[in-house]
Amino acid sequence: VAVLERKAEWPGIDGTVAERFVPVEGMEAALEAALGEVSKYVICRDRRSAEAVIAYLREQKKGRIGIVVPDSGTLNPAVRRPELNQPNIVGWLDAFVSTDESLRPLMEAVLARTLVFRAGTSPDEILERLPYGFRAVSTDGNLYSKNVITGGSDDSFPLFRRKEKILEQESQIAQLSSRLDAFRESKNQVTAELGAARADSSQTSSALEAISD
């Protein structure tokens, strides 16, 4: 967070993985589970920026960070995937995630070996047919590999929709501020009109008194 707040100092910073990898609706939990801690990693366009960020965190004692540098080496997303036709299969996870074209090799390299299946169904038959190094993830975020299962309950808002939610809230705040400004302007106008009416009333009263005299 400290780095993102000061990212103008490091032009190579391109946001976090969660910000740059955008899942289709309904795949948020699957993507967050598949990426794990990588979802929080910062993407840097060049190694120099990454090293500068790490040096800053070390000097300021602001903790540790994970950084992905797509241009620091060759990414080979090409992989031979098994052909599976189990009825509970949704598809390969990378097909449900969009990102900038320049980051697509990184996205495919990370997600191309993860198969999505429908929540509430058994992954046993899928796991039997998946080669070593491949994983299966349910649409509600349970991640399976040959020897490890991760999952559970998380009441927080899905990581990959938080930025969208923040933007929505900012829009709502802007609308409320606009309405408040309009109300204040209307109030000021009514106050001015009321003052003018009182002045007219006072003049009328004075005129009537003069006539009476």
Side-chain angles (χ1 to χ4, degrees), residues 44-63:
C44 274
R45 295 288 181 176
D46 59 88
R47 181 171 290 172
R48 181 173 299 179
S49 294
E51 292 173 344
V53 167
I54 290 175
Y56 163 77
L57 293 175
R58 181 182 295 115
E59 291 170 3
Q60 300 298 319
K61 301 186 185 303
K62 290 186 176 291

Side-chain angles (χ1 to χ4, degrees), residues 123-154:
D124 291 347
E125 193 173 346
I126 295 173
L127 293 173
E128 290 175 1
R129 289 165 170 76
L130 282 181
Y132 187 81
F134 282 70
R135 305 177 300 174
V137 63
S138 63
T139 50
D140 62 352
N142 291 331
L143 183 65
Y144 297 79
S145 59
K146 289 296 184 182
N147 306 105
V148 179
I149 304 173
T150 60
S153 176
D154 186 357

Side-chain angles (χ1 to χ4, degrees), residues 81 92-98 104 107-108 111-114:
R81 299 192 284 207
W92 295 100
L93 184 54
D94 58 301
F96 302 103
V97 179
S98 61
R104 179 162 292 280
M107 184 270 289
E108 292 177 348
L111 302 176
R113 294 176 175 82
T114 303

Side-chain angles (χ1 to χ4, degrees), residues 17-211:
V17 170
E19 291 173 341
R20 309 306 290 176
F21 289 7
V22 182
V24 300
E25 186 173 356
M27 289 292 171
E28 298 92 344
L31 180 57
E32 188 165 358
L35 288 175
E37 285 299 309
V38 174
S39 64
K40 302 174 185 177
Y41 283 14
V42 171
I43 297 174
C44 274
R45 295 288 181 176
D46 59 88
R47 181 171 290 172
R48 181 173 299 179
S49 294
E51 292 173 344
V53 167
I54 290 175
Y56 163 77
L57 293 175
R58 181 182 295 115
E59 291 170 3
Q60 300 298 319
K61 301 186 185 303
K62 290 186 176 291
R64 301 177 66 82
I65 192 173
I67 300 178
V68 179
V69 188
D71 296 338
S72 63
T74 301
L75 289 171
N76 183 17
V79 58
R80 185 187 179 98
R81 299 192 284 207
E83 294 184 6
L84 303 175
N85 57 4
Q86 281 68 29
N88 60 334
I89 289 177
V90 178
W92 295 100
L93 184 54
D94 58 301
F96 302 103
V97 179
S98 61
T99 189
D100 294 344
E101 196 61 32
S102 61
L103 295 176
R104 179 162 292 280
L106 170 63
M107 184 270 289
E108 292 177 348
V110 173
L111 302 176
R113 294 176 175 82
T114 303
L115 188 65
V116 184
F117 67 95
R118 292 185 182 84
T121 63
S122 173
D124 291 347
E125 193 173 346
I126 295 173
L127 293 173
E128 290 175 1
R129 289 165 170 76
L130 282 181
Y132 187 81
F134 282 70
R135 305 177 300 174
V137 63
S138 63
T139 50
D140 62 352
N142 291 331
L143 183 65
Y144 297 79
S145 59
K146 289 296 184 182
N147 306 105
V148 179
I149 304 173
T150 60
S153 176
D154 186 357
D155 294 331
S156 63
F157 194 79
L159 180 63
F160 296 90
R161 293 297 181 192
R162 287 174 190 163
K163 184 177 181 181
E164 179 181 307
K165 188 67 174 179
I166 290 172
L167 292 175
E168 179 184 340
Q169 292 174 340
E170 289 177 346
S171 176
Q172 292 175 348
I173 290 172
Q175 291 177 11
L176 290 174
S177 297
S178 178
R179 291 178 184 175
L180 182 59
D181 290 340
F183 171 77
R184 286 172 177 166
E185 183 178 347
S186 177
K187 180 183 176 183
N188 291 337
Q189 183 177 351
V190 170
T191 301
E193 291 175 354
L194 182 59
R198 286 174 176 170
D200 290 342
S201 176
S202 178
Q203 291 176 2
T204 301
S205 296
S206 298
L208 291 173
E209 290 176 2
I211 294 173

